[in-house]
Amino acid sequence: MLRFTFVTLFPELMEGYFSRSILARAIKEEKIRIDFRNPREYTKDKFNRVDAPMIGGGAGMLMTPQPIMDTLHALKETSPEAHVVFMTPVGKPFRQHDAKRLAKKSHLIIVCGRYEGIDERVIEATADEVFSIGDYILTGGELAALVVCDAVSRNVEGVLGNSASLNEESFESRLLEAPAFTKPDIYENRTVISEFLKGNHSKISDLKRGLALCKTKYFRPELYKKGMADEK
Ligand code: SAM
């Protein structure tokens, strides 16, 4: 079982995501476990504050070190092996291979920033890894942490009913997935690629690889180039 602990000022923003579908079932079947810690419950500030203006100037407030540090110390005391991940736009890009790697851990603590982010000393002192989910700024780390948790959970054994679907997805073999179709064969005058209907699986698989190459080259030329270079 993989345990996720989210360190967040807004657990209620996240809870609903785990109430339905695949992740709800994974929790019920004890493949994953989810819990939350709110740094506000650890603050020693007499007004219950968890943020302060930036030293040296700058717009907005930063999360102060003490509440997050105390939250993490308390967690680490009972779970010293836990792997601590911070979500931040200045982290390394989160990729599918990270999702697969992190799925093998036993406990992931994912720290969500708010305001203009977190005092850098907290990250220096406690982070095992620092991830960004893309080149844009969110209002908080909760959505980013859910993205990471969802992508990691799919790779935990037993979470997906059909594990074959994991190997056929985009980014496996560095290609985007080929176009896919379901019933009916014709919908609003648009037909399924005729070869797909003939049932010759080796031909279909060749065709899918060709289409996956085209899609990757068109939408993600940098991924295509890297894939081609690696194959040489
Ligand atoms: N001042 C920060 C900057 O310019 O890099 C942005 C802070 S953002 C408004 C607040 C929090 O949202 C961050 O601490 C982080 O936890 C989260 N966040 C925002 N964008 C993110 C992204 N692309 N990836 C991961 N986390 C992100």
Side-chain angles (χ1 to χ4, degrees):
M1 187 211 296
L2 171 51
R3 175 181 172 196
F4 292 89
T5 302
F6 299 100
V7 175
T8 168
L9 293 172
F10 297 104
E12 62 281 7
L13 284 182
M14 306 180 76
E15 280 160 356
Y17 194 69
F18 300 101
S19 65
R20 301 297 288 268
S21 188
I22 290 174
L23 296 192
R25 195 180 62 219
I27 294 168
K28 201 165 160 222
E29 291 176 358
E30 299 187 349
K31 307 287 185 216
I32 62 169
R33 179 183 149 187
I34 305 293
D35 49 77
F36 301 92
R37 294 292 181 279
N38 189 337
R40 203 175 289 283
E41 286 167 17
Y42 292 79
T43 182
K44 294 187 172 127
D45 182 88
K46 62 179 171 185
F47 299 109
N48 226 19
R49 278 183 299 229
V50 290
D51 60 314
M54 289 191 225
I55 295 177
M61 307 290 268
L62 269 193
M63 291 179 77
T64 53
Q66 177 272 318
I68 306 183
M69 284 298 244
D70 283 6
T71 311
L72 291 173
H73 286 148
L75 279 164
K76 279 284 204 169
E77 223 170 85
T78 53
S79 184
E81 83 295 349
H83 192 75
V84 180
V85 172
F86 280 73
M87 302 314 307
T88 158
V90 298
K92 70 174 172 175
F94 179 70
R95 304 265 190 240
Q96 179 69 1
H97 62 82
D98 298 307
K100 291 189 147 195
R101 182 172 53 78
L102 294 179
K104 297 194 172 73
K105 302 277 180 203
S106 57
H107 186 185
L108 290 178
I109 297 174
I110 309 186
V111 186
C112 309
R114 275 273 152 180
Y115 312 109
E116 283 314 313
I118 298 172
D119 186 301
E120 190 69 19
R121 290 165 294 181
V122 180
I123 300 174
E124 269 175 28
T126 58
D128 290 308
E129 297 193 63
V130 180
F131 283 122
S132 161
I133 64 156
D135 293 345
Y136 39 78
I137 306 292
L138 303 165
T139 51
E142 289 74 14
L143 266 180
L146 285 174
V147 166
V148 167
C149 171
D150 188 300
V152 171
S153 296
R154 295 171 61 77
N155 289 284
V156 172
E157 208 172 322
V159 166
L160 290 188
N162 176 8
S163 61
S165 58
L166 270 182
N167 303 325
E168 289 170 10
E169 283 174 324
S170 296
F171 308 114
E172 297 304 327
S173 73
R174 296 223 175 76
L175 289 179
L176 301 184
E177 195 176 59
F181 306 93
T182 182
K183 290 175 185 175
D185 297 353
I186 302 172
Y187 182 71
E188 290 188 350
N189 283 336
R190 290 172 190 272
T191 57
V192 167
I193 296 171
S194 59
E195 205 61 54
F196 282 30
L197 297 168
K198 293 183 191 157
N200 181 334
H201 292 291
S202 124
K203 269 197 172 167
I204 293 173
S205 128
D206 285 351
L207 183 57
K208 277 191 168 178
R209 182 167 163 79
L211 291 168
L213 280 166
C214 287
K215 268 209 163 185
T216 313
K217 194 173 179 185
Y218 185 76
F219 286 117
R220 297 291 300 275
E222 81 296 350
L223 207 64
Y224 179 82
K225 264 192 207 151
K226 193 166 185 312
M228 292 297 107
D230 288 351
E231 272 185 23
K232 277 179 195 159

